[in-house]
Amino acid sequence: MPTPAQLRKLKTAAKTAAGRAYAPYSKFRVGAAVLTGSGKIFAGCNVENASYGLCNCAERTAIFSAVAAGERKLKCVVVYTPTKNATAPCGACRQVIFEFGPTVRIISICDGRDQIDGSIRSLLPAAFGPADLI
Ligand code: THU
């Protein structure tokens, strides 16, 4: 669980990251921020490509950035979209979140009052993960 101060920082980081989205094709800007086991925050935005299949979601940009910095445990993921309704992470991102945070809390915020707040297990029931390979 993030502290109220951490949650504020996560929300600000996700909003700032959305401003850096590279989304010339969809025009759908997404920002994400993750809180790691050691208390650090990493942010990311979606990065699209003229070869559409190569587009990377904001959540995965943030998570890969955390992993590249040596942080492999996620506690919380905050997603921000400048929309009226909150955006839940896509299926691929849910799978990637589960890999590094089987108990992670996911919070999606937007410019409206709508909010999503739940566990990765609720968003990805009967998940396949690292434990299945042992
Ligand atoms: N996108 C994200 O970054 N995160 C999500 O959870 C949903 C979708 C991005 C991918 C693509 O750049 C754009 O939003 C439209 O799908």
Side-chain angles (χ1 to χ4, degrees):
M1 281 291 192
T3 63
Q6 285 173 325
L7 193 51
R8 273 197 303 277
K9 283 184 186 165
L10 284 162
K11 288 179 177 178
T12 301
K15 284 184 184 179
T16 302
R20 302 191 182 123
Y22 177 70
Y25 307 106
S26 73
K27 318 270 193 230
F28 191 68
R29 303 169 83 82
V30 188
V34 301
L35 177 68
T36 68
S38 68
K40 290 186 183 142
I41 289 174
F42 294 83
C45 59
N46 53 330
V47 182
E48 299 187 344
N49 194 278
S51 177
Y52 294 170
L54 299 182
C55 293
N56 201 63
C57 292
E59 296 90 325
R60 279 177 286 146
T61 304
I63 293 166
F64 295 161
S65 181
V67 173
E71 300 282 328
R72 296 183 176 176
K73 175 97 185 76
L74 301 181
K75 283 185 184 167
C76 183
V77 176
V78 171
V79 181
Y80 165 77
T81 47
T83 52
K84 191 168 170 289
N85 294 109
T87 304
C90 79
C93 288
R94 294 178 198 197
Q95 184 68 34
V96 171
I97 290 167
F98 187 76
E99 180 80 19
F100 299 107
T103 60
V104 79
R105 180 174 169 197
I106 297 171
I107 299 167
S108 293
I109 56 169
C110 61
D111 288 342
R113 298 173 80 87
D114 188 38
Q115 185 164 320
I116 296 165
D117 188 342
S119 67
I120 182 63
R121 283 206 181 271
S122 69
L123 286 179
L124 192 68
F128 172 80
D132 293 301
L133 294 175
I134 296 164

